Amino acid sequence: QVQLVESGGGLVQPGGSLRLSCVVSGSFFRINSMGWHRQAPGKERELVAIISSDGVANYYVDSVKGRFTISRDNAKNTVYLQMNSLKPEDTAVYDCYAYVLGVAYRGQGTQVTVSS
């Protein structure tokens, strides 16, 4: 079984920063691509960022380009999302995912609220 646990969410003022972490645990040999989604109240879930197994950032949704950075530490089975210059419209539940042997596993999510 593979489990993902996110941390690092919280309340931050506009213009502030947060770093989300997602630790993958369980029985597996290798994690392939990893990434983050988010879902804001009343909106559809959207893909925020993807990073490949070798650590190359493959994708960012347009609304976060230049502000968010995805990275991973394969030795720690962890993916990060550094979020800078946060805006109220970034408020959402953020969840991570990881592909292991072609199966996508997903965490339960962490709340990010950007408000003054």
Side-chain angles (χ1 to χ4, degrees):
Q1 186 71 359
V2 177
Q3 293 183 323
L4 284 73
V5 178
E6 301 96 338
S7 61
L11 173 64
V12 63
Q13 292 187 342
S17 298
L18 283 175
R19 188 175 86 149
L20 305 183
S21 300
C22 172
V23 179
V24 185
S25 62
S27 299
F28 53 85
F29 176 70
R30 183 172 179 264
I31 302 171
N32 293 317
S33 65
M34 306 177 78
W36 293 89
H37 288 88
R38 68 183 180 186
Q39 186 164 22
K43 295 189 177 181
E44 292 188 356
R45 189 163 170 261
E46 70 171 347
L47 179 61
V48 176
I50 300 171
I51 188 165
S52 61
S53 58
D54 60 2
V56 175
N58 296 113
Y59 171 84
Y60 292 101
V61 67
D62 285 347
S63 58
V64 308
K65 285 180 181 177
R67 301 188 298 122
F68 289 12
T69 302
I70 188 170
S71 61
R72 65 190 285 171
D73 184 336
N74 289 335
K76 296 181 179 180
N77 295 325
T78 301
V79 62
Y80 305 96
L81 187 67
Q82 177 67 44
M83 306 185 294
N84 298 329
S85 301
L86 282 161
K87 304 175 181 180
E89 51 264 43
D90 295 318
T91 295
V93 175
Y94 287 72
D95 64 86
C96 62
Y97 74 86
Y99 271 94
V100 177
L101 292 178
V103 177
Y105 295 89
R106 177 181 164 188
Q108 296 215 345
T110 184
Q111 176 70 46
V112 171
T113 302
V114 184
S115 175
S116 55

Coordinates of all heavy atoms in Angstrom, one line a residue, residues 37-47 92:
H37 N -2.4 19.0 -7.3 CA -3.6 19.6 -7.7 C -4.2 20.5 -6.7 O -3.7 20.5 -5.5 CB -4.7 18.5 -7.9 CG -4.5 17.6 -9.1 ND1 -3.7 16.4 -9.0 CD2 -5.0 17.6 -10.3 CE1 -3.7 15.8 -10.2 NE2 -4.5 16.5 -11.0
R38 N -5.2 21.3 -7.0 CA -5.9 22.1 -6.0 C -7.3 22.2 -6.4 O -7.7 22.1 -7.6 CB -5.2 23.5 -5.9 CG -5.4 24.4 -7.1 CD -4.7 25.7 -6.9 NE -4.8 26.6 -8.0 CZ -4.2 27.8 -8.2 NH1 -3.4 28.2 -7.2 NH2 -4.4 28.5 -9.2
Q39 N -8.1 22.4 -5.4 CA -9.6 22.7 -5.6 C -10.1 23.8 -4.7 O -10.0 23.7 -3.5 CB -10.4 21.4 -5.4 CG -11.9 21.6 -5.8 CD -12.6 20.3 -5.9 OE1 -12.2 19.2 -5.4 NE2 -13.7 20.3 -6.7
A40 N -10.5 24.8 -5.4 CA -11.1 26.0 -4.6 C -12.6 25.8 -4.5 O -13.2 25.0 -5.3 CB -10.8 27.3 -5.4
P41 N -13.1 26.4 -3.5 CA -14.6 26.3 -3.2 C -15.4 26.7 -4.5 O -15.2 27.7 -5.1 CB -14.8 27.3 -2.1 CG -13.5 27.4 -1.4 CD -12.5 27.3 -2.5
G42 N -16.3 25.8 -4.9 CA -17.1 26.1 -6.0 C -16.5 25.9 -7.4 O -17.1 26.3 -8.4
K43 N -15.2 25.5 -7.4 CA -14.5 25.4 -8.7 C -14.1 23.9 -8.9 O -14.0 23.1 -8.0 CB -13.3 26.3 -8.7 CG -13.6 27.8 -8.7 CD -12.4 28.6 -8.9 CE -12.7 30.1 -8.9 NZ -11.5 30.9 -9.2
E44 N -13.7 23.6 -10.1 CA -13.2 22.3 -10.4 C -11.8 22.1 -10.0 O -11.0 23.1 -9.9 CB -13.3 22.0 -12.0 CG -14.7 21.9 -12.5 CD -14.8 21.5 -13.9 OE1 -13.7 21.3 -14.5 OE2 -15.9 21.3 -14.4
R45 N -11.5 20.9 -9.7 CA -10.1 20.5 -9.3 C -9.2 20.8 -10.5 O -9.5 20.4 -11.6 CB -10.0 19.1 -8.9 CG -8.8 18.6 -8.3 CD -9.0 17.3 -7.5 NE -7.8 16.6 -7.1 CZ -7.2 15.7 -7.8 NH1 -7.8 15.2 -8.9 NH2 -6.1 15.1 -7.3
E46 N -8.0 21.4 -10.3 CA -7.1 21.7 -11.4 C -5.7 21.2 -11.1 O -5.3 21.2 -9.9 CB -7.1 23.2 -11.7 CG -6.5 24.1 -10.7 CD -6.3 25.5 -11.2 OE1 -6.4 25.8 -12.4 OE2 -6.0 26.4 -10.4
L47 N -5.0 20.8 -12.1 CA -3.6 20.4 -12.0 C -2.8 21.7 -11.9 O -2.8 22.6 -12.7 CB -3.2 19.6 -13.2 CG -1.8 19.1 -13.3 CD1 -1.5 18.2 -12.1 CD2 -1.6 18.4 -14.6
A92 N -7.3 27.3 -1.7 CA -7.8 26.0 -2.2 C -7.3 24.9 -1.2 O -6.4 25.1 -0.4 CB -7.3 25.7 -3.6

